[in-house]
Amino acid sequence: MAKTISVEYRVYDGPDALAHAAAEHFLEEAQKSVAAKGKARIAVSGGSTPKRTFALLADPQQKFLNAMPWAQLELYFVDERTVPPTDSDSNYRMTREAMLDKVPLKPGQVFRIEGELPPDEAAARYESTLRNQFKLEGAEVPRFDVLALGMGDDGHTASIFPHTAGIHELSRLVYANKVPQKDTWRVTLTWPVIVQASEVFFLIGGKDKADPLHRVLQGPYDPETLPSQLIQPKSGKLLFLLDRDAAALLPPTGGSGVGRLEITR
Ligand code: 6PG
């Protein structure tokens, strides 16, 4: 049955303004969740885009370090490369260096995907962690309070790459996805878990993302080629935080800097 998603995209001048907007959004959503439930379970993606945002959250010169309800947070990862946590490719290492080493999160509040293990084992262990932490039974799917995604210039998100089996993985919570085009394996939340989150937002910047983003949002539905199109949150809403370069091919937002699209699939 066709489903309509209300997409909101907010366009910022450049990478610093975009990072600040993302930090504000993390803060706002974390505070909302803690106020409602006493905790906030946040899942973050890796890559390069989130670095600036993580640095702002940890910056003592910014309001976020004092304002974030760190003691009530649980931090999870959307995906991980199959490398040790000390490797320069590790999403965990990037997040630790940019933020975790500088904020008051205890080790028991951070749930790392063990990229150093064989992929299937890392996926199974992370799935078990999710089942335990979310107290899942049977086919229940964890509902993250906030889940931040990036998008590659090939239209991938998380570690669900074009023409990979991860596109079709519907039963597992965490999957070891073979990515031939990168000659590697990745460990990733599956898209049924991602879309279950209460608040899913994409954080995308740069000229190289303009065309794929335009195709994801306004092109024909083709998730084999554009896996980001799989992200149709159960909440019915999806937010994109973009810089001008990434938003260049989307309908102009006028003076507001905010655009809206209703996408039916
Ligand atoms: C990863 C990410 C991935 C990332 C996109 C965008 O492990 O690389 O989870 O999905 O969000 O590849 O990466 P950039 O932010 O580096 O463009």
Side-chain angles (χ1 to χ4, degrees), residues 18-99:
L18 176 61
H20 202 277
E24 287 279 8
H25 196 62
F26 270 123
L27 176 60
E28 182 185 331
E29 291 300 320
Q31 287 176 328
K32 202 190 296 182
S33 182
V34 168
K37 302 166 38 178
K39 72 164 62 175
R41 292 175 168 135
I42 297 176
V44 295
S45 288
S48 57
T49 307
K51 263 184 226 171
R52 285 176 193 263
T53 300
F54 293 164
L56 283 173
L57 291 173
D59 183 346
Q61 305 301 317
Q62 299 282 334
K63 70 176 182 181
F64 306 106
L65 189 57
N66 287 330
M68 186 66 85
W70 300 103
Q72 286 76 36
L73 293 196
E74 291 179 7
L75 189 80
Y76 297 82
F77 289 82
V78 169
D79 63 340
E80 186 56 278
R81 287 81 182 280
T82 46
V83 295
T86 51
D87 191 289
S88 59
D89 265 355
S90 163
N91 288 336
Y92 172 78
R93 173 174 161 181
M94 180 275 284
T95 308
R96 180 180 59 72
E97 291 176 342
M99 179 170 65

Side-chain angles (χ1 to χ4, degrees), residues 44-50 78-81 89 91 149-154 156-161 182 186 203 205 208-209:
V44 295
S45 288
S48 57
T49 307
V78 169
D79 63 340
E80 186 56 278
R81 287 81 182 280
D89 265 355
N91 288 336
L149 294 170
M151 188 191 74
D153 59 9
D154 60 356
H156 85 262
T157 190
S159 283
I160 307 171
F161 285 80
K182 284 184 172 288
R186 294 277 191 89
L203 172 57
D208 62 334
K209 306 294 175 73

Side-chain angles (χ1 to χ4, degrees), residues 175-197:
Y175 184 62
N177 198 25
K178 185 174 182 182
V179 187
Q181 53 269 55
K182 284 184 172 288
D183 189 23
T184 189
W185 290 74
R186 294 277 191 89
V187 179
T188 184
L189 296 184
T190 55
W191 64 262
V193 172
I194 293 170
V195 300
Q196 188 71 19

